């Protein structure tokens, strides 16, 4: 029964391009009118048909990880691109739509993010090991969207450009107190202290990140001007001239946006500036990927602008600038995947093949989300005063260098 439903479902889905399916018994069937976009899969386990029909996103990712479904030439990109492009013009079965609507409706319960859950969710992803992330990130270990002023830039150059762009938006002056919410391995905090003379407090919930961030600050002689803490941002109660948060809002969760932006407003001095950098949807809200939630980012959610705007408005903060970065993250993720594959032998020293397939699938699905779906990166510049920053964007581009070379 489920194989028949699967065939009807795929026939409806593939309206352009071609998908060739080889069944467990060796029989092959082709779906779609043909074209330049093609993919071929081999379903090894007939029990998989039910999952592909009822929870296609979760079942596809799990089946690839477990090799119950293999892809010809291991072309994950070709398969996912074929599915995503057809998803715009095809209608999924009613039961799949109902399941997605139900998960979305339950989002405020699923994404409740108490301090205890937040620590657990962060540990799941960020405490894998610092050495693992070194294998594919840039030298500064920036695990967020880079800024490609030129597509030919190296990953290192683009990540430096990202930090410079953010520092310009923060309009930092020497001696300012800066809070870095979700400081990662410390690269942004170190940049702001070393190159702009700021005094930075960085907070994280990852013990692995904290240890390396402190080590890196000490190596550069910045321990007296950078204070890295293992603490939830909600527990901070000090005033800051500047607040920066890069790639952390995705972990806040739907029920907590008002709490988040209210906290930013409470911690920001009257003349202060905050810069919030987050993945976002340039389309209506939708349920998060079941597979991503289960295996990569438990508790994570990519918000639409319509979900963030009310919380910002109610916080009383001015949204003095909103920039939408398109395709920058796709380029970043392609660099990460290329480096991951280059270092695959080193990855195998500490992780099994199932983990490797999981991460290749994750990185591929993510860059395709930015290339094929309405996913981008938002940078919100927030202030208490409308005149806390210049009234044109000229200041962002006339001076690209740091305001000072060393912290005091």
């Amino acid at each position: 029964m489920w194989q028949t439903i699967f065939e009807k479902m795929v026939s409806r889905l593939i309206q352009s391009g071609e998908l060739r399916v080889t069944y467990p018994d060796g029989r092959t069937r082709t779906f779609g009118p043909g074209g330049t976009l093609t993919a071929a899969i081999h379903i090894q386990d007939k029990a998989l048909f039910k999952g592909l029909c009822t929870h296609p996103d979760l079942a596809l990712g799990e089946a690839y990880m477990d090799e119950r479904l293999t892809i010809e030439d291991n072309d994950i990109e070709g398969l996912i691109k074929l599915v995503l492009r057809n998803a715009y013009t095809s209608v999924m079965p009613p039961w799949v739509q109902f399941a997605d609507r139900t998960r979305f409706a339950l989002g405020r319960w699923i994404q409740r993010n108490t301090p205890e859950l937040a620590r657990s969710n962060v540990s799941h992803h960020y405490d894998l090991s610092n050495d693992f992330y070194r294998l594919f990130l840039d030298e500064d270990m920036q695990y967020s969207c880079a800024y490609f002023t030129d597509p030919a830039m190296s990953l290192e150059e683009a990540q430096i450009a990202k930090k410079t762009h953010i520092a310009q938006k923060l309009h930092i002056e020497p001696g300012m107190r800066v809070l870095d919410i979700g400081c990662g391995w410390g690269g942004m905090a170190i940049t702001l202290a070393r190159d702009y003379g700021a005094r930075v407090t960085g907070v994280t919930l990852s013990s692995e990140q904290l240890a390396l961030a402190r080590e890196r600050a000490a190596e550069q002689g910045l321990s007296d001007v950078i204070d890295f803490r293992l603490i939830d941002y909600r527990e901070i109660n000090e005033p800051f001239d500047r607040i920066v948060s890069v790639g952390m809002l995705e972990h806040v969760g739907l029920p907590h946006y008002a709490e988040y932006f209210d906290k930013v407003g409470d911690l920001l001095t009257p003349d202060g500036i905050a810069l919030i950098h987050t993945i976002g949807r340039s389309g209506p809200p939708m349920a998060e990927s079941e597979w991503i939630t289960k295996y990569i980012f438990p508790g994570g959610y990519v918000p639409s602008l319509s979900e963030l705007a009310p919380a910002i408005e109610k916080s009383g903060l001015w949204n003095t600038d909103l920039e939408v970065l398109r395709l920058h993250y796709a380029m970043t993720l392609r660099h990460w995947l290329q480096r991951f594959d280059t270092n695959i032998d080193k990855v195998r020293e500490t992780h099994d093949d199932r983990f490797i397939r999981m991460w290749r699938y994750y990185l591929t699905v993510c860059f395709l989300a930015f290339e094929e779906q309405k996913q981008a990166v938002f940078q919100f510049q927030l202030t208490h005063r409308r005149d806390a920053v210049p009234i044109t964007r000229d200041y962002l581009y006339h001076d690209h260098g740091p305001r000072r070379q060393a912290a005091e």
Side-chain angles (χ1 to χ4, degrees), residues 119-397:
R119 287 184 176 88
S120 174
N121 291 340
V122 166
S123 179
H124 175 91
H125 189 82
Y126 295 97
D127 284 342
L128 288 173
S129 84
N130 295 330
D131 289 339
F132 169 70
Y133 286 101
R134 282 192 180 100
L135 295 177
F136 64 91
L137 298 181
D138 66 302
E139 294 176 359
D140 196 43
M141 296 186 74
Q142 291 290 305
Y143 191 29
S144 58
C145 177
Y147 187 58
F148 289 85
T149 56
D150 180 344
M153 295 172 78
S154 69
L155 180 61
E156 274 71 22
E157 291 171 331
Q159 291 291 13
I160 290 171
K162 184 267 296 294
K163 289 180 290 181
T164 300
H165 193 54
I166 288 174
Q168 295 296 100
K169 288 187 175 184
L170 288 168
H171 214 49
I172 284 188
E173 299 291 346
M176 286 184 168
R177 293 198 62 200
V178 179
L179 173 64
D180 185 353
I181 301 176
C183 62
W185 291 278
M188 179 65 73
I190 289 171
T191 296
L192 296 180
R194 181 193 61 216
D195 299 341
Y196 295 84
R199 305 186 68 85
V200 186
T201 297
V203 300
T204 179
L205 294 177
S206 166
S207 55
E208 287 280 328
Q209 289 183 333
L210 177 73
L212 184 57
R214 285 177 171 172
E215 178 184 319
R216 295 177 67 199
E219 287 174 352
Q220 298 201 37
L222 297 170
S223 297
D224 59 332
V225 291
I226 302 179
D227 177 18
F228 288 117
R229 306 177 191 176
L230 190 69
I231 188 174
D232 193 291
Y233 76 97
R234 288 168 285 196
E235 298 174 34
I236 298 290
N237 290 298
E238 309 156 41
F240 292 91
D241 304 297
R242 301 291 187 264
I243 296 176
V244 62
S245 183
V246 178
M248 185 271 181
L249 184 60
E250 300 93 319
H251 303 285
V252 167
L254 268 170
H256 303 283
Y257 292 149
E259 181 182 21
Y260 176 86
F261 287 106
D262 285 349
K263 189 65 175 179
V264 169
D266 290 344
L267 297 177
L268 198 62
T269 59
D271 294 328
I273 302 169
L275 191 286
I276 312 300
H277 171 119
T278 180
I279 300 172
R281 279 187 51 76
S282 184
M286 61 183 291
E288 192 71 1
S289 160
E290 281 189 274
W291 186 85
I292 291 284
T293 299
K294 182 175 180 179
Y295 290 98
I296 306 298
F297 291 119
Y301 179 72
V302 174
S304 290
L305 188 59
S306 59
E307 295 173 299
L308 297 175
I312 295 173
E313 292 167 1
K314 291 176 183 177
S315 73
L317 292 167
W318 267 89
N319 188 0
T320 48
D321 191 88
L322 169 58
E323 185 171 8
V324 181
L325 304 183
R326 295 155 291 109
L327 294 176
H328 292 265
Y329 217 153
M331 289 186 278
T332 304
L333 283 152
R334 283 187 175 274
H335 275 280
W336 290 349
L337 179 57
Q338 181 182 35
R339 292 177 177 217
F340 182 86
D341 285 341
T342 298
N343 289 297
I344 204 71
D345 290 339
K346 293 181 180 178
V347 178
R348 282 200 174 95
E349 292 175 4
T350 53
H351 296 87
D352 62 18
D353 286 342
R354 185 176 187 269
F355 176 91
I356 289 170
R357 287 190 294 272
M358 178 178 74
W359 267 77
R360 292 198 78 251
Y361 189 83
Y362 154 57
L363 293 172
T364 303
V365 166
C366 285
F367 75 66
L368 286 173
F370 288 97
E371 292 179 353
E372 302 290 335
Q373 296 182 301
K374 290 192 173 182
Q375 194 148 293
V377 169
F378 300 146
Q379 285 190 346
F380 296 94
Q381 185 191 58
L382 306 173
T383 66
H384 286 296
R385 291 176 42 187
R386 73 190 76 199
D387 59 351
V389 295
I391 60 173
T392 73
R393 277 182 167 176
D394 291 355
Y395 71 100
L396 298 180
Y397 308 106

